[in-house]
Every structure is written in structure tokens, then in C-alpha cells.
Amino acid sequence: GGGGGVVVSDGAGRRVLVVHADGRAGPLDPATPLRLPRGLAVHDHGQVTLADASGQLLRWHPQRPSWALLAAKGDRAKPLGGGRWSRVALAGPTGVAVDGAGNAFIADPAAHAVLVLRAGAGWLEVVAGDGVQGKRDGPGHRARFHAPYALALEPHPPGSVERVLWVT
């Protein structure tokens, strides 16, 4: 992302920076002010997905250098696998991880949930959490979080099709 450099979220500076191999640093998009940039993920093909804690999920497209809004505060999520809309809505995302298919997994501490925006789907799904603060292990909607903040997606283990999503 950003032409071969390291991409860094500068929350206090309200921008995303690209740090190049020679040490030079500059904003990814100097024309667009961001509100509360937090977690980001860089795709293999140069796109950057950004969790902005003001309530936005954004994607940077290097082919047309600009940010595109993927989801906004208040967008409600469906249960994983479909069904009626849940009470969980995007509130203040801080962490994001993107898989090889372009699906964006989102940690949202204000919603007490982990969400996913599937590539090409156009809506959010709840991966885990029910929107109620708590600490409970369990599958999907049975799990409860106390402000999940960051995510990491583990690569495919050899011979497996499943991946592990780590949540802090």
C-alpha cells in the first residue's frame, strides 16, 4: 500500500502516513482529513482498509487515489449466515483485519462486537458478540466482549481451510 512503504495510522495527526524505505514519510492522502484513524490493514493489491473510531470504515484505492466509505456509524449488522437484522450496529471501529478475499473483519469496542464486511456483499455481519458488554466465551452471538479493540487474522495453517481471528 502507498507505493511500497510501511503504512502507519497517525491518530493524533488525523492522517495515515506512508514511511518509505529511505525514511521519508508523507500522508497517504493529504487532501482528505480523517477524524480518528485507528487500525488499518493493507491488502496484497495495495488497497488500505481503515477503521476510523468516529464511526467509519474506509478503503483507500491506489488506482484512483481516494478514500471510499464502506460502512458508517449506525449501519446495522445481520447475524452471521443471514437472518433478520441484529441490534448490533457499527459505532466506533478501532481494529481491522482483511483476508485474501477482501473481507474486512472489524473490532468495535463501542458496539462490544466483532463484525465482518464481506467483499461485494454491501452489509455488515456479526461474527461475535451481541452488543452487550461482558466477558463470555462461546460461538458467535453467544460470546460477549468488553470493548474489543484490535484484530489479527492468522494465516491458513498447512492443510486447513479455517483461520483463527485473534481479538484483543
Side-chain angles (χ1 to χ4, degrees):
V6 175
V7 182
V8 180
S9 173
D10 176 13
R14 296 182 177 203
R15 60 193 180 155
V16 172
L17 298 170
V18 178
V19 181
H20 299 278
D22 63 4
R24 290 180 302 111
L28 185 65
D29 180 4
T32 304
L34 299 170
R35 290 179 160 177
L36 297 170
R38 295 295 182 256
L40 56 80
V42 180
H43 305 238
D44 291 337
H45 46 298
Q47 294 181 353
V48 177
T49 299
L50 173 70
D52 188 300
S54 69
Q56 297 180 341
L57 184 67
L58 304 166
R59 181 158 295 154
W60 169 262
H61 295 277
Q63 298 83 7
R64 56 178 189 282
S66 64
W67 290 103
L69 181 66
L70 300 178
K73 188 173 190 168
D75 286 354
R76 295 192 55 199
K78 288 186 175 186
L80 196 60
R84 296 183 315 157
W85 294 102
S86 74
R87 66 177 170 201
V88 177
L90 191 69
T94 55
V96 65
V98 176
D99 67 13
N103 300 315
F105 295 86
I106 308 148
D108 193 329
H112 303 291
V114 175
L115 309 169
V116 63
L117 179 66
R118 299 221 181 267
W123 64 81
L124 296 164
E125 290 179 317
V126 179
V127 173
D130 63 359
V132 177
Q133 178 180 322
K135 295 180 184 176
R136 180 173 66 200
D137 292 338
H141 69 282
R142 302 235 9 197
R144 286 206 172 152
F145 296 100
H146 180 87
Y149 193 83
L151 302 171
L153 191 59
E154 188 173 285
H156 284 285
S160 173
V161 294
E162 293 190 17
R163 299 177 77 174
V164 175
L165 181 66
W166 296 91
V167 182
T168 64

